[in-house]
Amino acid sequence: MSGQPTLSGNRGLQIEEKLIFEMDNPGSVAVDLPEPGPIDLDRMGGVARRGRIGLPDLSEPQVVRHFTRLSQKNYGIDSGFYPLGSCTMKHNPRLSEKMARLPGLADLHPLQPQKTVQGALEVIDSLAFWLKELTGLPAIAMSPAAGAHGEWCGLMAIRAAHEDRGEGHRRRMLVPESAHGTNPASAAMCGFTVDPIPAKDNGRVDLDAMKAKLGPDVAGLMLTNPNTCGLFESEIIEIAAAIHGAGGYFYCDGANFNAIVGRVRVADLGIDCMHINLHKTFSTPHGGGGPGAGPTVLSAALAPYAPVPYVVHGPQGLELVEGAREGAKPFGRVKGFHGQFGVFVRALAYIASMGADGLRQASGDAVLNANYLQASLSDALTASFDGPCMHEALFDDRFLKDTGVTTLDFAKALIDEGYHPMTMYFPLVVHGALLMEPTETESRETLDQFIAVVKGLAGRAKAGAAEDFKAAPRLTPRRRLDETLAARAPVLRWKAST
Ligand SMILES: *Cc1c(COP(=O)(O)O)cnc(C)c1O
């Protein structure tokens, strides 16, 4: 391919789209209204607008085309395979979307009197019931708005519990090296110092190294299970016993719950507290910054410190508790109103439509699909750890050794092939990581097509096509961006050139 730009700047039917402000065509309107009569400006208290407010003038077809084209630039789970590891990019059933749009749920106001929203409170209460049932933990904070927010909420409960029994000096939080970046960040935001625990050669937490770090200042441990290498922490019972023995609490990052839902009750593993990313495991749409939801389940020891609000069964029906209550010592509030209600509706619809057998099958199929990828790609790429994986397959860049191609180049070449890349360079415990999570919703045909493309690219890289890889992606509206510059000097505001 020559890479020559076209006359128009368009690439085939991918149209080079301007900002809507750059398309301003003064005088164009999308509606045809009669000229208004004289307006009594006095009644505006002197605040009437005198000039233009700077919105672009456009016709209806211009507006429709603009937003349609923008929507087509978006690659999502509805466009194709999205093997982004750690993100559980599964299909979002249309049934759940339909439920979330029911006017009786979608048109509520968060300040309506409670007696007029008993159905909505029942949605929150039923979802809370099922999340407690699936994890075996007795209490839940529904309001955190994301996984990271749930981590923070759980750690705040742990901190409050320590302070309440006069052990506020416990401020050291143990976090494995392979943890998602949000874990140390949440711990630091709660005022804990983060103490990393190394992994063993088999990708699991080093139990002896963890035990060596226990002491009277340890507040707890944050562990992801299955961990971010896609492996089940086989010594988790011993880990729980050790942290409890040292007077600490056991936080579990539940982002990978999709691998074990319906099969393992996290309470049975000795976990005190875990957030659940509804937007991952329970299939509500995510990406592009939101909205998600990170309800956090809590053990009996942490339950009194759960933040408000929460739903209880009262004499008049369901009640939303917004303040202190007998026996409870909420550490505060983490979110305006009640949490991400639209996400709750979708997650409950998903759970109800799947049923217990469906959820069990989903986790089984997710693990099967990941193992199919791992087994099929093991001779072309280099799997980081021996043995089967859970719901995601981790490879590293040893297969690219001496080819001049990096993990980044490889991912960019996949974009030209029509695939969203896998997660790259995470987790940090292996070199040049490629983390693939197919989820249960992909068919064998999709996986086989993807496997053929990845194998083909690996073959090309080994055959000495480094130049081609460095030039990828060639077919996208933009090619390689200066991501450092974009992060350091972002241009967030359009200014008129005249
Ligand atoms: C996604 C994820 C998180 C953070 O969840 P958000 O909802 O994105 O805040 C934390 N830990 C792991 C392992 C994750 O995959």
PDB file of all heavy atoms in Angstrom, residues 86-87 146-149 151 180 182-183 224 228 253 255-256 275 277 279-280, ligand 1:
ATOM      1  N   SER A  86      -8.680  -8.621  31.183  1.00  0.00           N
ATOM      2  CA  SER A  86      -9.017  -7.973  32.446  1.00  0.00           C
ATOM      3  C   SER A  86     -10.278  -7.123  32.355  1.00  0.00           C
ATOM      4  O   SER A  86     -10.693  -6.549  33.351  1.00  0.00           O
ATOM      5  CB  SER A  86      -7.849  -7.112  32.973  1.00  0.00           C
ATOM      6  OG  SER A  86      -7.831  -7.153  34.384  1.00  0.00           O
ATOM      7  N   CYS A  87     -10.895  -7.034  31.196  1.00  0.00           N
ATOM      8  CA  CYS A  87     -12.039  -6.125  31.019  1.00  0.00           C
ATOM      9  C   CYS A  87     -13.368  -6.833  30.801  1.00  0.00           C
ATOM     10  O   CYS A  87     -14.419  -6.187  30.843  1.00  0.00           O
ATOM     11  CB  CYS A  87     -11.770  -5.173  29.862  1.00  0.00           C
ATOM     12  SG  CYS A  87     -10.386  -4.085  30.222  1.00  0.00           S
ATOM     13  N   ALA A 146     -17.886   2.183  40.355  1.00  0.00           N
ATOM     14  CA  ALA A 146     -16.936   1.489  39.489  1.00  0.00           C
ATOM     15  C   ALA A 146     -16.158   0.518  40.359  1.00  0.00           C
ATOM     16  O   ALA A 146     -16.250   0.567  41.589  1.00  0.00           O
ATOM     17  CB  ALA A 146     -15.967   2.480  38.842  1.00  0.00           C
ATOM     18  N   GLY A 147     -15.363  -0.329  39.709  1.00  0.00           N
ATOM     19  CA  GLY A 147     -14.542  -1.254  40.471  1.00  0.00           C
ATOM     20  C   GLY A 147     -13.604  -0.513  41.411  1.00  0.00           C
ATOM     21  O   GLY A 147     -13.506  -0.828  42.606  1.00  0.00           O
ATOM     22  N   ALA A 148     -12.907   0.474  40.884  1.00  0.00           N
ATOM     23  CA  ALA A 148     -11.945   1.221  41.702  1.00  0.00           C
ATOM     24  C   ALA A 148     -12.660   1.911  42.865  1.00  0.00           C
ATOM     25  O   ALA A 148     -12.133   1.970  43.985  1.00  0.00           O
ATOM     26  CB  ALA A 148     -11.222   2.252  40.840  1.00  0.00           C
ATOM     27  N   HIS A 149     -13.864   2.374  42.617  1.00  0.00           N
ATOM     28  CA  HIS A 149     -14.647   3.042  43.661  1.00  0.00           C
ATOM     29  C   HIS A 149     -15.053   2.024  44.740  1.00  0.00           C
ATOM     30  O   HIS A 149     -15.040   2.333  45.937  1.00  0.00           O
ATOM     31  CB  HIS A 149     -15.883   3.663  42.998  1.00  0.00           C
ATOM     32  CG  HIS A 149     -16.537   4.754  43.781  1.00  0.00           C
ATOM     33  ND1 HIS A 149     -17.778   5.224  43.456  1.00  0.00           N
ATOM     34  CD2 HIS A 149     -16.149   5.451  44.862  1.00  0.00           C
ATOM     35  CE1 HIS A 149     -18.117   6.179  44.312  1.00  0.00           C
ATOM     36  NE2 HIS A 149     -17.142   6.335  45.176  1.00  0.00           N
ATOM     37  N   GLU A 151     -13.288  -0.654  45.481  1.00  0.00           N
ATOM     38  CA  GLU A 151     -12.057  -0.920  46.249  1.00  0.00           C
ATOM     39  C   GLU A 151     -11.928   0.113  47.359  1.00  0.00           C
ATOM     40  O   GLU A 151     -11.665  -0.206  48.518  1.00  0.00           O
ATOM     41  CB  GLU A 151     -10.810  -0.787  45.354  1.00  0.00           C
ATOM     42  CG  GLU A 151     -10.662  -1.865  44.314  1.00  0.00           C
ATOM     43  CD  GLU A 151      -9.580  -1.503  43.292  1.00  0.00           C
ATOM     44  OE1 GLU A 151      -8.671  -0.707  43.606  1.00  0.00           O
ATOM     45  OE2 GLU A 151      -9.664  -2.007  42.163  1.00  0.00           O
ATOM     46  N   HIS A 180      -3.804  -5.022  39.603  1.00  0.00           N
ATOM     47  CA  HIS A 180      -4.263  -3.916  38.760  1.00  0.00           C
ATOM     48  C   HIS A 180      -3.849  -2.606  39.442  1.00  0.00           C
ATOM     49  O   HIS A 180      -3.892  -2.514  40.671  1.00  0.00           O
ATOM     50  CB  HIS A 180      -5.789  -4.008  38.693  1.00  0.00           C
ATOM     51  CG  HIS A 180      -6.419  -3.190  37.620  1.00  0.00           C
ATOM     52  ND1 HIS A 180      -6.910  -1.933  37.853  1.00  0.00           N
ATOM     53  CD2 HIS A 180      -6.654  -3.458  36.323  1.00  0.00           C
ATOM     54  CE1 HIS A 180      -7.431  -1.472  36.728  1.00  0.00           C
ATOM     55  NE2 HIS A 180      -7.292  -2.365  35.792  1.00  0.00           N
ATOM     56  N   THR A 182      -5.283   0.034  39.996  1.00  0.00           N
ATOM     57  CA  THR A 182      -6.244   0.665  40.899  1.00  0.00           C
ATOM     58  C   THR A 182      -6.062   0.199  42.345  1.00  0.00           C
ATOM     59  O   THR A 182      -6.413   0.932  43.262  1.00  0.00           O
ATOM     60  CB  THR A 182      -7.692   0.352  40.465  1.00  0.00           C
ATOM     61  OG1 THR A 182      -7.817  -1.064  40.284  1.00  0.00           O
ATOM     62  CG2 THR A 182      -8.048   1.061  39.171  1.00  0.00           C
ATOM     63  N   ASN A 183      -5.523  -1.013  42.562  1.00  0.00           N
ATOM     64  CA  ASN A 183      -5.399  -1.532  43.937  1.00  0.00           C
ATOM     65  C   ASN A 183      -4.458  -0.669  44.780  1.00  0.00           C
ATOM     66  O   ASN A 183      -4.883  -0.129  45.811  1.00  0.00           O
ATOM     67  CB  ASN A 183      -4.951  -2.996  43.966  1.00  0.00           C
ATOM     68  CG  ASN A 183      -6.004  -3.977  43.446  1.00  0.00           C
ATOM     69  OD1 ASN A 183      -5.875  -5.174  43.594  1.00  0.00           O
ATOM     70  ND2 ASN A 183      -7.058  -3.492  42.808  1.00  0.00           N
ATOM     71  N   THR A 224      -6.392 -10.340  43.928  1.00  0.00           N
ATOM     72  CA  THR A 224      -7.331 -10.566  42.834  1.00  0.00           C
ATOM     73  C   THR A 224      -7.391 -12.070  42.587  1.00  0.00           C
ATOM     74  O   THR A 224      -6.340 -12.705  42.513  1.00  0.00           O
ATOM     75  CB  THR A 224      -6.839  -9.838  41.565  1.00  0.00           C
ATOM     76  OG1 THR A 224      -6.492  -8.505  41.908  1.00  0.00           O
ATOM     77  CG2 THR A 224      -7.908  -9.811  40.493  1.00  0.00           C
ATOM     78  N   THR A 228      -4.427 -11.475  37.984  1.00  0.00           N
ATOM     79  CA  THR A 228      -4.361 -10.786  36.685  1.00  0.00           C
ATOM     80  C   THR A 228      -3.495 -11.536  35.674  1.00  0.00           C
ATOM     81  O   THR A 228      -3.391 -11.104  34.528  1.00  0.00           O
ATOM     82  CB  THR A 228      -3.829  -9.355  36.847  1.00  0.00           C
ATOM     83  OG1 THR A 228      -2.552  -9.428  37.450  1.00  0.00           O
ATOM     84  CG2 THR A 228      -4.751  -8.522  37.720  1.00  0.00           C
ATOM     85  N   ASP A 253     -10.183  -8.256  45.021  1.00  0.00           N
ATOM     86  CA  ASP A 253     -10.569  -7.520  43.821  1.00  0.00           C
ATOM     87  C   ASP A 253     -11.399  -8.497  42.987  1.00  0.00           C
ATOM     88  O   ASP A 253     -10.880  -9.508  42.513  1.00  0.00           O
ATOM     89  CB  ASP A 253      -9.295  -7.067  43.092  1.00  0.00           C
ATOM     90  CG  ASP A 253      -9.574  -6.357  41.774  1.00  0.00           C
ATOM     91  OD1 ASP A 253     -10.609  -6.656  41.146  1.00  0.00           O
ATOM     92  OD2 ASP A 253      -8.750  -5.525  41.377  1.00  0.00           O
ATOM     93  N   ALA A 255     -12.844  -8.165  40.072  1.00  0.00           N
ATOM     94  CA  ALA A 255     -13.002  -7.869  38.640  1.00  0.00           C
ATOM     95  C   ALA A 255     -13.022  -9.140  37.793  1.00  0.00           C
ATOM     96  O   ALA A 255     -13.580  -9.150  36.704  1.00  0.00           O
ATOM     97  CB  ALA A 255     -11.892  -6.938  38.169  1.00  0.00           C
ATOM     98  N   ASN A 256     -12.390 -10.203  38.304  1.00  0.00           N
ATOM     99  CA  ASN A 256     -12.317 -11.442  37.530  1.00  0.00           C
ATOM    100  C   ASN A 256     -13.351 -12.474  37.978  1.00  0.00           C
ATOM    101  O   ASN A 256     -13.193 -13.669  37.728  1.00  0.00           O
ATOM    102  CB  ASN A 256     -10.896 -12.019  37.616  1.00  0.00           C
ATOM    103  CG  ASN A 256      -9.891 -11.097  36.943  1.00  0.00           C
ATOM    104  OD1 ASN A 256     -10.263 -10.283  36.097  1.00  0.00           O
ATOM    105  ND2 ASN A 256      -8.634 -11.197  37.315  1.00  0.00           N
ATOM    106  N   HIS A 275     -15.331  -6.143  45.715  1.00  0.00           N
ATOM    107  CA  HIS A 275     -16.199  -5.390  44.809  1.00  0.00           C
ATOM    108  C   HIS A 275     -16.552  -6.280  43.618  1.00  0.00           C
ATOM    109  O   HIS A 275     -15.789  -7.181  43.265  1.00  0.00           O
ATOM    110  CB  HIS A 275     -15.549  -4.083  44.337  1.00  0.00           C
ATOM    111  CG  HIS A 275     -14.471  -4.276  43.325  1.00  0.00           C
ATOM    112  ND1 HIS A 275     -13.134  -4.279  43.640  1.00  0.00           N
ATOM    113  CD2 HIS A 275     -14.528  -4.485  41.980  1.00  0.00           C
ATOM    114  CE1 HIS A 275     -12.430  -4.471  42.548  1.00  0.00           C
ATOM    115  NE2 HIS A 275     -13.235  -4.597  41.524  1.00  0.00           N
ATOM    116  N   ASN A 277     -17.596  -5.885  39.643  1.00  0.00           N
ATOM    117  CA  ASN A 277     -17.793  -4.974  38.517  1.00  0.00           C
ATOM    118  C   ASN A 277     -19.013  -5.456  37.742  1.00  0.00           C
ATOM    119  O   ASN A 277     -18.907  -6.390  36.950  1.00  0.00           O
ATOM    120  CB  ASN A 277     -16.563  -4.974  37.601  1.00  0.00           C
ATOM    121  CG  ASN A 277     -15.275  -4.671  38.331  1.00  0.00           C
ATOM    122  OD1 ASN A 277     -14.899  -5.408  39.243  1.00  0.00           O
ATOM    123  ND2 ASN A 277     -14.593  -3.622  37.948  1.00  0.00           N
ATOM    124  N   HIS A 279     -20.364  -4.124  35.397  1.00  0.00           N
ATOM    125  CA  HIS A 279     -20.143  -3.879  33.964  1.00  0.00           C
ATOM    126  C   HIS A 279     -19.206  -4.910  33.356  1.00  0.00           C
ATOM    127  O   HIS A 279     -18.995  -4.901  32.155  1.00  0.00           O
ATOM    128  CB  HIS A 279     -19.612  -2.460  33.744  1.00  0.00           C
ATOM    129  CG  HIS A 279     -18.523  -2.072  34.694  1.00  0.00           C
ATOM    130  ND1 HIS A 279     -18.742  -1.891  36.037  1.00  0.00           N
ATOM    131  CD2 HIS A 279     -17.206  -1.854  34.510  1.00  0.00           C
ATOM    132  CE1 HIS A 279     -17.611  -1.560  36.625  1.00  0.00           C
ATOM    133  NE2 HIS A 279     -16.662  -1.545  35.724  1.00  0.00           N
ATOM    134  N   LYS A 280     -18.627  -5.787  34.144  1.00  0.00           N
ATOM    135  CA  LYS A 280     -17.849  -6.887  33.569  1.00  0.00           C
ATOM    136  C   LYS A 280     -18.672  -8.165  33.717  1.00  0.00           C
ATOM    137  O   LYS A 280     -19.314  -8.603  32.777  1.00  0.00           O
ATOM    138  CB  LYS A 280     -16.500  -6.996  34.283  1.00  0.00           C
ATOM    139  CG  LYS A 280     -15.598  -5.789  34.028  1.00  0.00           C
ATOM    140  CD  LYS A 280     -14.262  -5.889  34.746  1.00  0.00           C
ATOM    141  CE  LYS A 280     -13.429  -4.635  34.467  1.00  0.00           C
ATOM    142  NZ  LYS A 280     -12.230  -4.576  35.300  1.00  0.00           N
TER     143      LYS A 280
HETATM  144  C1  LIG B   1     -11.333  -3.418  35.670  1.00  0.00           C
HETATM  145  C2  LIG B   1     -10.505  -3.752  36.830  1.00  0.00           C
HETATM  146  C3  LIG B   1     -10.477  -2.931  37.975  1.00  0.00           C
HETATM  147  C4  LIG B   1     -11.121  -1.557  38.040  1.00  0.00           C
HETATM  148  O1  LIG B   1     -12.469  -1.537  37.723  1.00  0.00           O
HETATM  149  P1  LIG B   1     -13.155  -0.204  37.128  1.00  0.00           P
HETATM  150  O2  LIG B   1     -14.587  -0.544  37.081  1.00  0.00           O
HETATM  151  O3  LIG B   1     -12.525   0.009  35.793  1.00  0.00           O
HETATM  152  O4  LIG B   1     -12.827   0.910  38.079  1.00  0.00           O
HETATM  153  C5  LIG B   1      -9.757  -3.351  39.062  1.00  0.00           C
HETATM  154  N1  LIG B   1      -9.069  -4.514  39.039  1.00  0.00           N
HETATM  155  C6  LIG B   1      -9.060  -5.321  37.961  1.00  0.00           C
HETATM  156  C7  LIG B   1      -8.292  -6.611  38.009  1.00  0.00           C
HETATM  157  C8  LIG B   1      -9.763  -4.960  36.821  1.00  0.00           C
HETATM  158  O5  LIG B   1      -9.742  -5.743  35.738  1.00  0.00           O
END
